[in-house]
Amino acid sequence: MEEGFAMISLEDEEQWGLMYEGEAEDLGEIDTRWCLVGRFLTESPIDFQAMQHKMASLWRPGKGMYVKQLEPNRFIFQFYHEVDIRQVVEGSPWIFGRFHLIFERLKEGDNLRSLFINKLDVWVQLHGMNTGFMSQRVVTDIANYIGTFIESDTSNFVGVWRDYLWVRVSLKLNVLLKKRMKIKKSESVWCWVNFLYEAIPTFCFICGMVGHGEKFCDNVTPRHWHH
């Protein structure tokens, strides 16, 4: 009897089991409804304790928050209310020391440690637009040329004449920053729209991308010194 039971158990073990994606320490403590996974634009180590105190003082979430370090420069920020996480998302960019925080909002099924984090939401000023082009459609199209349109400033088309319009754009950090765009209605009706990025982080003048300086650019040709 005992021998037969042992045989059945062994067969069951070969066919059945439980598999969890990710690591066991992540289970049971993450509510994916209100989480951000982020990293800072730096090659330097991040002081975790100082960082979490700084971000808590900047964000002041009404329902509190929990921060966990996943890797040396990868963190999960757990909030407990939609209002708190939306305030952080809509208020970016955020800075700790001199380093910008970039993040992705976690979705059900995302892998915390392999989630690709490579975009930054910023406000961009659109300068040089002629009156005839000042419409929401044009602003949206320009924003999607720069990156991905998020929203326009609510005062863009209200009240008096404005020297420039504001639009919020999501930038991919591995794509060249755009400087300007030509828009036209005909051969004689056109203008250049120049872009001024607000609160932009480290920018490389060699490759034109955000996120690193010239010192860390892969496009730099190593110098050979001759004595």
Side-chain angles (χ1 to χ4, degrees), residues 121 140 143-151 168-172:
D121 299 344
T140 301
N144 284 324
Y145 168 73
I146 298 171
T148 303
F149 171 80
I150 299 176
E151 63 176 318
R168 190 162 172 79
V169 178
S170 181
L171 300 175
K172 290 184 178 180

Side-chain angles (χ1 to χ4, degrees), residues 34 77 187 216:
W34 303 308
F77 302 90
E187 291 302 318
F216 299 101

Side-chain angles (χ1 to χ4, degrees), residues 121-147:
D121 299 344
V122 299
W123 285 99
V124 184
Q125 298 177 9
L126 308 179
H127 288 259
M129 294 180 68
N130 293 344
T131 309
F133 294 103
M134 288 189 175
S135 70
Q136 184 56 56
R137 175 186 173 186
V138 174
V139 169
T140 301
D141 289 343
I142 293 174
N144 284 324
Y145 168 73
I146 298 171

Side-chain angles (χ1 to χ4, degrees), residues 13 21 27-28 34 39 43 49 51 55 58 69 73 77-78 86 95 97 124 144-146 148 196 198 207 209 224-225:
E13 287 177 1
E21 295 294 332
L27 301 174
W34 303 308
R39 65 183 178 90
E43 301 295 327
Q49 295 296 331
M51 181 277 293
M55 305 320 291
L58 288 174
Q69 180 168 301
N73 189 10
F77 302 90
Q78 166 78 68
R86 187 171 296 277
I95 300 174
V124 184
N144 284 324
Y145 168 73
I146 298 171
T148 303
L196 180 60
E198 296 193 351
C207 70
M209 295 183 186
H224 300 283
W225 298 96

Side-chain angles (χ1 to χ4, degrees), residues 156-214:
N156 276 346
F157 308 108
V158 177
V160 299
W161 165 266
R162 302 189 182 281
D163 292 331
Y164 57 86
L165 302 180
W166 285 7
V167 64
R168 190 162 172 79
V169 178
S170 181
L171 300 175
K172 290 184 178 180
L173 301 187
N174 59 344
V175 176
L176 295 177
L177 278 184
K178 308 294 197 306
K179 297 179 180 179
R180 63 177 185 167
M181 182 182 190
K182 187 176 185 179
I183 56 177
K184 66 179 184 178
K185 293 183 177 179
S186 66
E187 291 302 318
S188 59
V189 181
W190 60 273
C191 66
W192 281 105
V193 183
N194 296 294
F195 311 142
L196 180 60
Y197 298 84
E198 296 193 351
I200 203 72
T202 305
F203 174 76
C204 179
F205 289 95
I206 294 175
C207 70
M209 295 183 186
V210 174
H212 65 265
E214 294 88 335

